[in-house]
Amino acid sequence: MLAYLVIRDGAHWTDVFRLVPGQPVRIGRAPTNDIVISDERCSRNHAELLYTQRGWILRDLNSRNGTLVGGKPIEHDYPLQPGDVIRIGRSQLAYVHDLNTAFPDSAGIGQRVAQPAPAHTSQDTEDSLVFHEPEPTTITHRREDTSFLREDGSASRDSGGAVGTQLYQLSFQLAVRLARAEAVESLCQLVLQWLFEKIPVDAGAVLLLPRKPRQTASPDDLTVVAHQTRSGQNYHRVSAFLAQRVLQEGSGIRACNVQGDSTLSSRDSRGNLPADTVLCAPVRHQGPVLGLIHLYTTDPNHALSDEHLDVALAAAKTLAVALENVEHVRHLSENLSQIKLENEQLRQQLGVESEIVGRSPVIRQVTEKIARVAPTKSTVLIRGESGVGKELVARAIHFSSPRKNKPFICLNCAALSETLLESELFGHERGAFTGATSRRLGKFELADGGTLMLDEIGEMSPQLQAKFLRVLEGHPFERVGGTELVKVDVRVIAATNRNLEKEVERGNFRRDLFFRLNVVEIYIPGLRKRPEDIPILAHYFLEKYNAELGRKIKGFTDAALEQMLRYRWPGNVRELKNVVERACVLCEGDYIDVHNLTLSKLATAGETSELIVSNPKTYVAMSLAEVEKRHIEATLRATGWNKSQAAAILGIERSTLDRKIRRYEIQREHPLMKQS
């Protein structure tokens, strides 16, 4: 049996809500409820109606002020009977099976008498309500979505009559029209033109919210983007009451006989209420409401039907999809412009950082070799002490090659264990090991078409060297834990500060891999071997940090330059960069002087210190491992066990130093033990 809730707020009829078995109805002040009551005496989630074998029951949801039926608060599930009046705050909801019986005792509210509308079909009688009174009252009909554009794509040809059949046939034409428009105003105007062709309306408009609306949208936020009228009439904006209902509930509304109700219509310049039937359809697809379509007629003899509301809902939903597409394209365009700008800035930045600063003959030879090897596909082996700029040379090769628009990826082989390094290089499949929750692409796949630089290649384990060699020779590889063969096109640039020939003799590095890597070798000498580049690099870093730190230091004193020229620079260019940065921070005058330079007293990589002597009489026989252990101990003592500084001096990574400390069981001497 059909059941309805006829809703009255104070002295105004507001809505008719049809109850559908199997669909619970929640009532409350929160906008997420099915029936929203804007009253402070109504709780956010106040009550609900449920359909059971006994019929519809009313349940109070522990509301603050209670739910009343017949003037008495309910404490348990209450079975509703036709004619029961539910009171929540100042709102009354009549539960009826026949709309004509709603609120029969209307005395005290303008002597309203509920009667069926004589000019409507049986379908209208089921879904609508007319109240004839001294001032014409309203019919409100609410519909969640059009029956012609369902989410599952099963559009109905039969429902909706002739207008529904036309809509089913012509909705594609509307989509084609909208696809041609690129601006929001054009989209809205095309939708209005299409609606005026399908619906006998006298005026209408598309009103949209701002691109970034407030958390709670208001009718005042709506802007008329496009409007249209017939016969030279003026368009009258939608009433705030209807707009607020559409924005809050996201449902379409059909209101009839609204000429006497100022809450549902708006006045013209002469004070008249021209609208007779009003349609409001929310512009919404899946997200929030973007705005609404407002249509109305002024002739009582041409009332708009539920079929016309279906048409308006279909057009509004199609418009919402088109607006989302336009916004998506605009967002992509802005992002693309921003990405292009960032890429250009990044390329300029990379160009500066990749520029090799220096005018010495050895640097000119390095630059010339880069120019010759960059256009080729040959593997390059870069050798030199830590801090000389091996990665900068690799970047210069990549960005001077045909692969410059492809990825450049750098990986330090000494920073990872054997297992992790294999996963980083070749990737892994889900479940390959503990923690592998998803597939991960390795550096070889990520650098496909580009360049992969492997720093500290001498630290790679012999087992991993074999797999790496096969990839270098062009063979496909498998991800860790996988069976799929992956083939990539990657140029490999290897770098090391080790003597790989000696590592090959010791059996720590594969001979065949050494010859495969050593196709083109570029050797970068230490900074102490090209002293003419020291002043050039010092002034280059001074300009860099003047700009970054906001300083205006003019240069170096002659004494400071002389001190830097005499210094051995065990940390090479990296150390010079840090010394200049520190001097820029601490300098109080216009020029950097000797007292602003903080230089270490550590030996450079390759210098023997006190461990190896040239006098045969003082020679002590010891293994290379013992020499290395003593040298590491001496370096750690000299730096106060600053491992980062010691690793830079030794020309190895911090992780490599930690492994050697554990291998040689080097212990830090306690101060109290030293005193004793």
Side-chain angles (χ1 to χ4, degrees):
M1 181 176 292
L2 297 178
Y4 303 89
L5 282 182
V6 183
I7 306 169
R8 186 175 68 189
D9 185 1
H12 298 282
W13 304 100
T14 62
D15 208 349
V16 176
F17 195 94
R18 181 175 176 179
L19 301 177
V20 180
Q23 296 183 10
V25 178
R26 296 182 71 90
I27 307 171
R29 195 175 74 250
T32 54
N33 289 287
D34 301 295
I35 298 177
V36 179
I37 298 178
S38 301
D39 189 338
E40 293 181 355
R41 288 167 290 186
C42 178
S43 301
R44 290 184 59 83
N45 297 294
H46 197 100
E48 65 177 351
L49 277 75
L50 303 171
Y51 187 79
T52 66
Q53 294 180 349
R54 297 180 295 168
W56 287 95
I57 64 170
L58 174 66
R59 177 182 297 167
D60 184 81
L61 300 177
N62 298 319
S63 62
R64 181 178 57 186
N65 295 314
T67 304
L68 284 71
V69 178
K72 297 181 180 180
I74 64 171
E75 297 180 355
H76 306 288
D77 290 352
Y78 181 86
L80 291 172
Q81 300 296 326
D84 283 342
V85 177
I86 306 167
R87 187 174 185 88
I88 297 177
R90 67 175 186 177
S91 298
Q92 300 178 56
L93 300 87
Y95 173 78
V96 297
H97 291 170
D98 184 357
L99 292 175
N100 295 324
T101 62
F103 294 109
D105 55 340
S106 56
I109 56 169
Q111 299 297 327
R112 305 188 180 194
V113 181
Q115 297 178 358
H120 291 275
T121 64
S122 59
Q123 178 68 29
D124 291 325
T125 305
E126 287 186 358
D127 289 348
S128 308
L129 185 67
V130 180
F131 294 93
H132 295 288
E133 55 181 4
E135 294 183 4
T137 55
T138 64
I139 306 171
T140 58
H141 173 72
R142 182 171 63 185
R143 189 184 293 272
E144 293 294 332
D145 200 359
T146 175
S147 60
F148 303 107
L149 294 178
R150 297 172 182 163
E151 291 297 333
D152 58 2
S154 57
S156 173
R157 291 181 179 269
D158 299 328
S159 61
V163 176
T165 303
Q166 293 177 8
L167 176 64
Y168 184 83
Q169 295 172 349
L170 298 176
S171 57
F172 177 72
Q173 296 180 7
L174 175 60
V176 171
R177 291 187 190 183
L178 297 184
R180 299 173 182 172
E182 298 180 356
V184 173
E185 294 78 7
S186 301
L187 289 171
C188 298
Q189 196 62 48
L190 284 173
V191 168
L192 279 181
Q193 292 174 1
W194 187 84
L195 285 170
F196 269 64
E197 295 173 5
K198 311 304 172 199
I199 303 178
V201 296
D202 295 318
V206 178
L207 300 91
L208 298 180
L209 293 170
R211 184 182 300 169
K212 295 181 179 180
R214 294 178 296 178
Q215 187 173 6
T216 303
S218 156
D220 296 333
D221 298 328
L222 290 168
T223 301
V224 178
V225 179
H227 68 276
Q228 186 171 335
T229 61
R230 298 185 193 272
S231 305
Q233 299 179 9
N234 294 325
Y235 167 72
H236 297 279
R237 185 183 175 97
V238 63
S239 68
F241 176 80
L242 283 179
Q244 186 68 35
R245 293 291 298 276
V246 174
L247 293 179
Q248 285 184 349
E249 301 176 9
S251 302
I253 293 177
R254 177 174 65 87
C256 300
N257 300 336
V258 300
Q259 290 182 349
D261 196 330
S262 61
T263 62
L264 301 182
S265 185
S266 56
R267 299 182 182 273
D268 60 15
S269 59
R270 293 174 294 181
N272 298 323
L273 299 172
D276 179 75
T277 308
V278 176
L279 299 181
C280 287
V283 179
R284 183 183 67 172
H285 179 214
Q286 294 178 338
V289 176
L290 306 178
L292 61 90
I293 294 178
H294 175 221
L295 304 170
Y296 64 85
T297 61
T298 58
D299 187 354
N301 297 322
H302 294 88
L304 300 176
S305 66
D306 294 345
E307 298 169 346
H308 298 126
L309 178 60
D310 250 337
V311 175
L313 285 169
K317 190 165 187 177
T318 307
L319 175 61
V321 175
L323 290 174
E324 289 177 357
N325 290 338
V326 169
E327 178 66 16
H328 184 60
V329 171
R330 183 197 62 80
H331 184 67
L332 287 178
S333 299
E334 291 180 355
N335 284 352
L336 183 60
S337 301
Q338 183 65 23
I339 289 172
K340 287 181 178 179
L341 178 61
E342 291 177 357
N343 283 346
E344 184 62 27
Q345 294 174 349
L346 182 59
R347 289 188 183 282
Q348 294 176 1
Q349 181 182 3
L350 286 173
V352 172
E353 293 182 355
S354 298
E355 181 181 358
I356 300 174
V357 179
R359 299 177 183 175
S360 62
V362 291
I363 288 299
R364 285 201 297 268
Q365 292 176 6
V366 170
T367 305
E368 292 173 359
K369 187 171 287 190
I370 291 173
R372 289 195 300 269
V373 75
T376 69
K377 298 182 180 180
S378 302
T379 304
V380 180
L381 177 62
I382 304 174
R383 310 178 87 164
E385 300 172 8
S386 179
V388 294
K390 295 188 289 294
E391 184 176 343
L392 297 183
V393 172
R395 288 183 180 274
I397 294 174
H398 172 74
F399 288 106
S400 301
S401 71
R403 300 172 179 259
K404 61 182 179 181
N405 294 324
K406 297 295 183 178
F408 174 82
I409 297 178
C410 183
L411 179 64
N412 192 323
C413 299
L416 301 170
S417 64
E418 178 181 350
T419 304
L420 289 179
L421 180 58
E422 183 180 9
S423 175
E424 284 292 322
L425 283 174
F426 305 109
H428 62 255
E429 297 288 350
R430 179 180 179 181
F433 49 83
T434 303
T437 58
S438 61
R439 170 187 284 186
R440 180 176 181 181
L441 301 183
K443 294 296 188 290
F444 268 108
E445 287 184 78
L446 295 175
D448 189 20
T451 304
L452 175 62
M453 178 190 175
L454 298 177
D455 199 5
E456 302 290 348
I457 191 68
E459 300 292 333
M460 185 180 292
S461 66
Q463 293 79 9
L464 193 55
Q465 291 175 24
K467 187 173 181 179
F468 176 53
L469 176 60
R470 284 187 55 81
V471 179
L472 279 183
E473 292 177 343
H475 295 284
F477 61 89
E478 297 175 356
R479 302 185 189 95
V480 178
T483 57
E484 178 185 354
L485 292 178
V486 180
K487 187 173 178 61
V488 294
D489 174 24
V490 176
R491 180 180 193 172
V492 174
I493 299 178
T496 183
N497 57 11
R498 286 179 173 270
N499 188 329
L500 291 184
E501 289 85 347
K502 291 186 177 179
E503 296 297 322
V504 171
E505 294 176 358
R506 297 169 186 166
N508 297 329
F509 201 81
R510 291 178 63 98
R511 182 181 300 271
D512 48 2
L513 178 58
F514 169 75
F515 289 117
R516 183 64 184 83
L517 288 174
N518 197 22
V519 177
V520 178
E521 179 183 303
I522 298 179
Y523 173 72
I524 308 173
L527 187 57
R528 62 187 176 277
K529 298 181 180 179
R530 45 188 178 103
E532 58 267 41
D533 289 335
I534 294 176
I536 299 174
L537 286 166
H539 283 93
Y540 171 77
F541 290 129
L542 176 62
E543 293 180 5
K544 173 183 173 66
Y545 290 115
N546 265 340
E548 289 185 5
L549 302 174
R551 303 298 304 274
K552 296 182 179 180
I553 301 174
K554 298 179 181 180
F556 301 87
T557 63
D558 293 340
L561 286 175
E562 184 179 354
Q563 178 80 0
M564 287 190 290
L565 288 171
R566 288 200 306 265
Y567 184 58
R568 299 286 292 168
W569 297 109
N572 291 297
V573 180
R574 183 185 292 120
E575 183 184 5
L576 174 60
K577 177 183 177 181
N578 295 336
V579 167
V580 175
E581 181 180 7
R582 189 184 302 112
C584 287
V585 173
L586 301 178
C587 180
E588 298 178 354
D590 294 335
Y591 292 89
I592 294 175
D593 205 350
V594 174
H595 66 276
N596 300 126
L597 302 177
T598 304
L599 305 176
S600 69
K601 298 180 180 179
L602 301 174
T604 60
E607 291 185 344
T608 59
S609 185
E610 77 277 8
L611 298 179
I612 302 176
V613 295
S614 56
N615 190 346
K617 295 182 179 180
T618 58
Y619 171 76
V620 178
M622 64 181 70
S623 65
L624 288 175
E626 182 65 23
V627 171
E628 185 178 46
K629 176 183 178 181
R630 293 191 181 187
H631 186 54
I632 291 174
E633 287 178 334
T635 306
L636 288 170
R637 286 196 301 271
T639 59
W641 271 78
N642 186 325
K643 294 183 180 180
S644 298
Q645 189 176 359
I649 295 170
L650 294 170
I652 58 177
E653 295 295 326
R654 167 70 180 269
S655 58
T656 305
L657 177 60
D658 288 332
R659 289 199 299 271
K660 291 182 181 298
I661 291 175
R662 291 192 297 269
R663 182 194 306 169
Y664 295 131
E665 299 180 352
I666 300 175
Q667 301 292 331
R668 184 172 185 176
E669 189 178 31
H670 197 277
L672 294 178
M673 294 176 61
K674 185 176 181 180
Q675 292 176 2
S676 61

